[in-house]
Amino acid sequence: MSLEYRKWLTFSTFVLIAGLLWFFFKYKEVYTQHVAVDVIWTNIPSHVELKDGLSYQLDVELTGNGFNLLKASYIAPQVELDFKKYVFKDENYFLILNWLWEV
């Protein structure tokens, strides 16, 4: 191997290592970001029709480490919502959020 080739190989190796370290330290922190989340409905009553089928996308604000948010921005997370956990009143459906108050 020539000396010039070894210099370039050593330089390239250190640049690659520095880039990987930068990537790791940048994305290990906690961030907040808007992400599109796929909502999939289950147990839909026969008298209810959804306009666009069974799945919808919602724009939500997620907080998490950078690696998870980076993954979520490329592959949309999925949330499954059950119509049995809803209450029908005055021609509107309401979500029952009992799980928010459980300790």
Side-chain angles (χ1 to χ4, degrees):
M1 262 201 248
S2 70
L3 184 60
E4 188 69 26
Y5 179 75
R6 275 195 266 162
K7 284 182 183 179
W8 279 107
L9 184 62
T10 303
F11 174 74
S12 300
T13 303
F14 279 109
V15 167
L16 179 66
I17 291 171
L20 290 174
L21 287 173
W22 171 82
F23 184 78
F24 175 75
F25 285 117
K26 176 164 175 58
Y27 286 103
K28 75 173 184 172
E29 297 176 18
V30 175
Y31 296 100
T32 300
Q33 174 181 330
H34 284 272
V35 175
V37 174
D38 290 333
V39 177
I40 301 171
W41 298 101
T42 59
N43 296 323
I44 300 172
S46 60
H47 67 280
V48 174
E49 280 189 33
L50 299 177
K51 291 181 185 177
D52 298 328
L54 296 178
S55 64
Y56 292 92
Q57 274 198 337
L58 295 177
D59 183 42
V60 297
E61 187 174 284
L62 293 179
T63 300
N65 71 19
F67 295 112
N68 290 338
L69 292 179
L70 189 62
K71 177 184 169 190
S73 63
Y74 289 107
I75 302 170
Q78 292 183 347
V79 175
E80 193 171 293
L81 294 179
D82 191 353
F83 259 78
K84 289 181 180 180
K85 295 180 181 176
Y86 283 77
V87 173
F88 185 72
K89 182 178 181 182
D90 298 328
E91 298 182 13
N92 293 311
Y93 283 95
F94 297 94
L95 178 61
I96 302 171
L97 297 175
N98 291 337
W99 56 271
L100 285 177
W101 293 278
E102 289 180 5
V103 178

